[in-house]
């Protein structure tokens, strides 16, 4: 039962353009969402998060959008840089449930110079 | 990432042996989480511990796997009688409070290979 889904296993974007990574979830109990970036042979690094009471959160080149009615969130990276090439994981959790995060399967982003 | 220390980085075990994975959380963090990543998959929650307490072990296999976070020392994930299917990357994360309140910081992981 995949409660958090990242349907695009890979994405290639030209340097300088916008990268848009998508994530869908099925569990209505999730009330906060996070994006992590992961390089090979390293642990995930936190990028940005959003609470369910918001629909947008911005931090520098990274913006996360949340559409609760559609149970969909997206991460926008603009402008994309070569160092952004990595695997991006969407994760979700619930303040009132378990303390665990539920992760998607990841999207491998490749920035083309 | 450097704040959460996991060792060893790589561990090779023969089938039937025991594997011990260690995690030292960031200074000041009292909450530890273990996740497992199988090839081509996302991270799967295994267990959540606070000092001397297991809070949630709903993701732990029922047999052969155990975890502890003693009052002193690192958190240990122990896998007894390893099988090939245990080969994976095991990540530890720590946070100063409940994970819902803040993001967790991950270690670099231990890659377990069972031969």
């Amino acid at each position: 039962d995949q409660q958090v889904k990242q349907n695009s296993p890979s994405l290639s974007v030209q340097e300088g353009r916008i990268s848009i990574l998508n994530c869908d979830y099925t569990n209505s109990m999730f009330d906060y969402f996070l994006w992590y970036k992961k390089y090979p042979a390293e642990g995930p690094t936190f990028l940005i998060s959003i609470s369910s009471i918001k629909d947008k959160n911005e931090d520098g080149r990274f913006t996360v959008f949340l559409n609760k009615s559609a149970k969909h969130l997206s991460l926008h990276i603009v402008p994309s840089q070569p160092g952004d090439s990595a695997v991006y994981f969407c994760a979700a959790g619930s303040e009132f449930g378990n303390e665990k995060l539920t992760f998607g399967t990841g999207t491998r982003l490749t920035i083309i110079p | 990432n450097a704040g959460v220390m996991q060792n060893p980085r790589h561990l090779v075990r023969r089938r039937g042996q025991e594997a011990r994975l260690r995690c030292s959380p960031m200074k000041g963090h009292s909450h530890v989480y273990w996740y497992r990543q199988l090839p081509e998959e996302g991270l799967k929650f295994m267990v959540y511990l606070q000092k001397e307490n297991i809070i949630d072990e709903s993701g732990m296999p029922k047999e052969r796997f155990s975890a502890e976070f003693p009052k002193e020392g690192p958190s240990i994930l122990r896998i007894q009688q390893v099988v090939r299917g245990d080969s994976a990357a095991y990540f530890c994360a720590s946070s100063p409070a409940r994970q819902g309140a803040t993001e967790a910081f991950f270690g670099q992981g231990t890659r377990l290979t069972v031969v």
Side-chain angles (χ1 to χ4, degrees), chain A residues 1-2 32 34 36 38-46 49 89 94-106 108, chain B residues 1 9 33 35 37 40-45 48 55-56 58-59 91 98-109 111:
Chain A
D1 177 26
Q2 193 69 27
Y32 64 91
L34 307 91
Y36 282 86
K38 186 180 180 303
Y39 293 118
E42 292 188 13
T45 302
F46 170 77
S49 64
F89 290 98
S94 171
E95 292 272 0
F96 301 103
N98 296 329
E99 303 302 323
K100 63 186 179 185
L101 289 176
T102 301
F103 282 81
T105 52
R108 183 177 301 278
Chain B
N1 269 2
R9 291 290 307 276
Y33 311 82
Y35 291 82
Q37 184 182 23
E40 306 303 322
E41 294 189 13
L43 283 76
K44 304 285 187 189
F45 169 81
Y48 162 39
I55 307 302
D56 181 351
S58 58
F91 292 97
R98 289 173 53 193
Q99 194 168 56
T102 182
E103 73 275 12
F105 294 85
F106 281 82
Q108 292 184 296
R111 271 145 191 85

Side-chain angles (χ1 to χ4, degrees), chain A residues 3-46:
Chain A
Q3 298 187 60
V4 178
K5 300 178 184 177
Q6 293 177 258
N7 292 319
S8 298
S10 63
L11 175 69
S12 294
V13 174
Q14 204 77 31
E15 181 179 359
R17 299 287 185 100
I18 183 171
S19 296
I20 300 176
L21 296 95
N22 294 303
C23 179
D24 297 291
Y25 62 96
T26 57
N27 190 340
S28 301
M29 296 300 294
F30 290 143
D31 50 22
Y32 64 91
F33 305 88
L34 307 91
W35 284 94
Y36 282 86
K37 175 182 180 180
K38 186 180 180 303
Y39 293 118
E42 292 188 13
T45 302
F46 170 77

Side-chain angles (χ1 to χ4, degrees), chain B residues 25-33 48-53 55 69-70 75 93-98:
Chain B
M26 285 182 70
K27 189 174 181 181
H29 286 191
S30 59
H31 299 243
V32 165
Y33 311 82
Y48 162 39
L49 309 104
Q50 294 180 25
K51 285 284 188 181
E52 300 184 279
N53 284 308
I55 307 302
F69 189 16
S75 175
S94 73
S95 66
R98 289 173 53 193

Side-chain angles (χ1 to χ4, degrees), chain B residues 53-112:
Chain B
N53 284 308
I54 297 175
I55 307 302
D56 181 351
E57 56 181 348
S58 58
M60 289 279 271
K62 296 290 183 235
E63 298 177 346
R64 303 188 296 109
F65 284 71
S66 62
E68 62 176 7
F69 189 16
K71 188 177 180 181
E72 301 290 338
S75 175
I76 306 287
L77 179 67
R78 182 181 177 210
I79 311 172
Q80 296 177 289
Q81 300 173 341
V82 296
V83 301
R84 289 236 170 95
D86 297 332
S87 295
Y90 292 82
F91 292 97
C92 168
S94 73
S95 66
R98 289 173 53 193
Q99 194 168 56
T102 182
E103 73 275 12
F105 294 85
F106 281 82
Q108 292 184 296
T110 294
R111 271 145 191 85
L112 172 65

Side-chain angles (χ1 to χ4, degrees), chain A residues 75-87:
Chain A
L75 174 67
H76 293 211
I77 307 172
V78 57
S80 299
Q81 300 173 354
D84 295 331
S85 295
V87 177

